[in-house]
Amino acid sequence: MFETTSPIDGSFLMNVSRAKAADVDAAVRSAASSAPSWGADGSARATVMRQIANEIRQQARALGTIETLDSGRAIADTAGASVVHSAGLFDYYAGLADKLHGSTVPMGREATALVEREPFGVIAAIAPWNYPLLNAATKIAPIIACGNTLVLKPAEQTPLVTLILARLMQQAGLPDGVVNIVTGFGAEAGAPLVAHPDVGKISFTGSSATGRHIAAEAGRSLKGVVLELGGKSPLVVFEDADLQRAARAAVFSTFMNAGQTCTSCARVLVAHDVLEQFEAHCRAEAASLRVGDPLDPETQIGPIVSVEQLERVRRLTAGVSGEQVAKKEYRPIGGGHFFPPTIVSRFPADSDFAREEIFGPVMAIRSFQSDEEAWSLANDTAYGLAGSVWTSSLHRAEQARRRLQCGIVWINCVHSLSAGTPVSGHKTSGLGIEYGLEAADQYMKVKTTVMMSGAWNSPFATRL
Ligand code: ADP
């Protein structure tokens, strides 16, 4: 067993099983034995998945409370948007589960080609700690809709809500063995899961460093990987933008979940002429942010998930001078891993602060002089997950779509997504896709069958 503690005040929550290779092997065997029957009937899958969505909605409060205790994310979000989106994913992919048709390819009069998609069997899914319920739903829903079974390892920092979800899925009628949860650490439980010979594909969300490692491991056994990794996303504000709305978006994107969001657009690039005005709007917007006990429904920002992450944020911000922006409402709890919302306006362009994903409540503002400079700064990162652009010019909006090197471009909005909108990391932000029909496509193999009704003649018999 290992201890899981709460980032709110550092208190002990409970002991959780610490899975090792033998437990992972048992989970994969359980998944493999359930795969044939689960893969056989799409409408049965759709029915169970809709029921799971209902159970999630009914248990919003319990799921939210557990997740907040374990992760520190504000309950307004864990029992609110997180539950709505997680249930929505099961509904969306339930709608697909009984519509996985194949196609035919014309091959002349005497042959027919059938193209079908079939499940891989067992998928390994590995999730991070920042949105535990939503991350679990994002993995489970498309994978099981396509008739696969899976073994899911939640992050060691936040294992609890996934265990509750497993119980809800069981209550909803999910057959035993379809979803198997192994709790534990990356090296002890994640690594043997990735390496297991009976796993058909790996779906991972987490840091780029671990993603690289998993892709290399998968390469050795030639397994496919879906990787959703880090980001250092820009939010670009032109002088013709609605500056107040843009500031509101920058504040939300930077500070929600204490900055622990892979698509956070905390690298804010502002047209030089409106820089001061924009900064004033940001300060005004951020002044009323409520930081404190995440179990309080009024709180917007809770603590950082762990001491290690808090130390990382401190290390990355050590060399820069920032302004704490939520002074009045900043109420950390003793023993909790809190970091104050901060705006940094001056920093060296080649520092770790400027280049690395911070994953904390820290906005970095920088100005640009021309449109060309804006696009060039926006793309000046190894990552390519998302970008948000604020302008009233149709031309600039169109340029944003064409010029930004990232998988999601938000124009005059930010974090607007649905279960149907595919998210695909460009550059080092990932491989493969989450959400949308495109995500489901990755969890099915293509099988082509050619049937001949006439007599088959050997090409050897053909003479020139
Ligand atoms: P973080 O998101 O905390 O920066 P990771 O990307 O390492 O860190 O963690 C995301 C998930 O990957 C967690 O569930 C973690 O346990 C798991 N993990 C870490 N290392 C490995 C590994 N070598 N093999 C498989 N899974 C791993």
Side-chain angles (χ1 to χ4, degrees):
M1 307 293 269
F2 66 99
E3 281 190 1
T4 185
T5 55
S6 177
I8 302 175
D9 56 4
S11 61
F12 168 77
L13 290 175
M14 61 182 282
N15 285 316
V16 179
S17 298
R18 181 169 176 169
K20 303 272 176 69
D23 307 296
V24 169
D25 183 54
V28 173
R29 275 189 280 118
S30 154
S33 69
S34 303
S37 60
W38 181 250
D41 185 349
S43 53
R45 297 200 294 272
T47 304
V48 173
M49 289 181 69
R50 287 203 178 89
Q51 194 50 39
I52 293 173
N54 291 339
E55 291 278 342
I56 291 175
R57 277 186 284 261
Q58 276 163 23
Q59 297 297 330
R61 192 78 200 173
L63 289 164
T65 306
I66 300 284
E67 180 163 324
T68 293
L69 281 168
D70 206 12
S71 74
R73 194 146 60 91
I75 195 153
D77 191 18
T78 55
S82 208
V83 163
V84 171
H85 292 311
S86 300
L89 283 164
F90 280 95
D91 272 335
Y92 176 81
Y93 289 107
L96 181 70
D98 57 356
K99 299 175 192 68
L100 296 168
H101 301 172
S103 61
T104 59
V105 180
M107 290 204 45
R109 281 210 200 142
E110 303 204 315
T112 307
L114 307 176
V115 182
E116 293 167 284
R117 288 174 298 169
E118 57 182 39
F120 279 90
V122 182
I123 306 280
I126 297 174
W129 43 261
N130 57 345
Y131 290 84
L133 178 68
L134 189 59
N135 284 323
T138 301
K139 299 290 180 211
I140 296 169
I143 288 172
I144 67 172
C146 297
N148 302 286
T149 57
L150 91 159
V151 179
L152 169 66
K153 192 194 89 61
E156 54 272 33
Q157 296 87 345
T158 55
L160 300 185
V161 77
T162 312
L163 297 173
I164 306 291
L165 175 65
R167 174 59 57 82
L168 291 190
M169 292 193 289
Q170 205 168 35
Q171 282 162 7
L174 187 73
D176 284 351
V178 175
V179 175
N180 305 270
I181 314 289
V182 287
T183 50
F185 293 88
E188 293 174 357
L193 180 56
V194 168
H196 200 290
D198 295 337
V199 162
K201 192 157 191 168
I202 299 149
S203 180
F204 170 80
T205 301
S207 63
S208 293
T210 305
R212 277 200 174 89
H213 181 77
I214 286 178
E217 278 302 314
R220 274 184 258 286
S221 53
L222 277 184
K223 292 188 186 101
V225 283
V226 176
L227 304 175
E228 210 266 88
L229 308 175
K232 185 80 179 170
S233 300
L235 186 141
V236 184
V237 184
F238 287 101
E239 72 281 357
D240 58 12
D242 179 330
L243 295 183
Q244 192 169 10
R245 282 223 166 88
R248 201 166 287 162
V251 164
F252 174 72
S253 187
T254 302
F255 299 123
M256 71 162 174
N257 194 16
Q260 305 166 108
T261 303
C262 54
T263 50
S264 165
C265 300
R267 198 161 58 88
V268 179
L269 306 170
V270 187
H272 183 263
D273 291 350
V274 294
L275 180 63
E276 271 181 35
Q277 249 179 298
F278 178 80
E279 283 180 338
H281 280 302
C282 280
R283 270 188 223 105
E285 198 62 45
S288 59
L289 286 175
R290 290 203 183 88
V291 185
D293 182 358
L295 286 165
D296 178 345
E298 298 293 310
T299 296
Q300 291 160 316
I301 302 173
I304 302 282
V305 73
S306 64
V307 177
E308 292 75 22
Q309 286 298 322
L310 182 63
E311 287 307 320
R312 192 187 129 82
V313 177
R314 285 187 179 146
R315 177 176 60 76
L316 286 169
T317 51
V320 297
S321 60
E323 180 186 341
Q324 295 191 14
V325 282
K327 296 181 190 99
K328 275 189 223 143
E329 305 280 352
Y330 183 53
R331 298 189 182 120
I333 295 172
H337 314 148
F338 288 82
F339 192 93
T342 303
I343 295 182
V344 179
S345 307
R346 256 183 287 280
F347 52 90
D350 56 355
S351 56
D352 284 350
F353 173 78
R355 298 260 157 226
E356 284 191 33
E357 184 175 35
I358 294 171
F359 240 55
V362 185
M363 185 189 295
I365 303 188
R366 201 179 157 174
S367 68
F368 60 82
Q369 299 280 358
S370 66
D371 287 27
E372 267 318 303
E373 193 189 4
W375 305 130
S376 143
L377 287 174
N379 290 331
D380 184 20
T381 167
Y383 293 109
L385 196 50
S388 169
V389 175
W390 292 79
T391 178
S392 55
S393 149
L394 183 58
H395 172 70
R396 279 174 170 151
E398 180 61 17
Q399 284 295 304
R401 188 172 70 75
R402 290 168 195 264
R403 302 286 296 269
L404 288 187
Q405 298 164 351
C406 56
I408 319 161
V409 178
W410 284 300
I411 295 172
N412 293 331
C413 59
V414 74
H415 301 292
S416 305
L417 288 172
S418 78
T421 47
V423 172
S424 168
H426 293 191
K427 294 156 84 177
T428 60
S429 286
L431 285 175
I433 302 160
E434 293 207 294
Y435 306 123
L437 299 179
E438 290 83 349
D441 268 345
Q442 307 167 118
Y443 298 115
M444 292 176 287
K445 296 186 275 196
V446 169
K447 178 177 276 178
T448 303
T449 306
V450 181
M451 294 190 291
M452 192 147 292
S453 55
W456 181 79
N457 293 314
S458 167
F460 280 156
T462 311
R463 297 272 177 271
L464 280 177

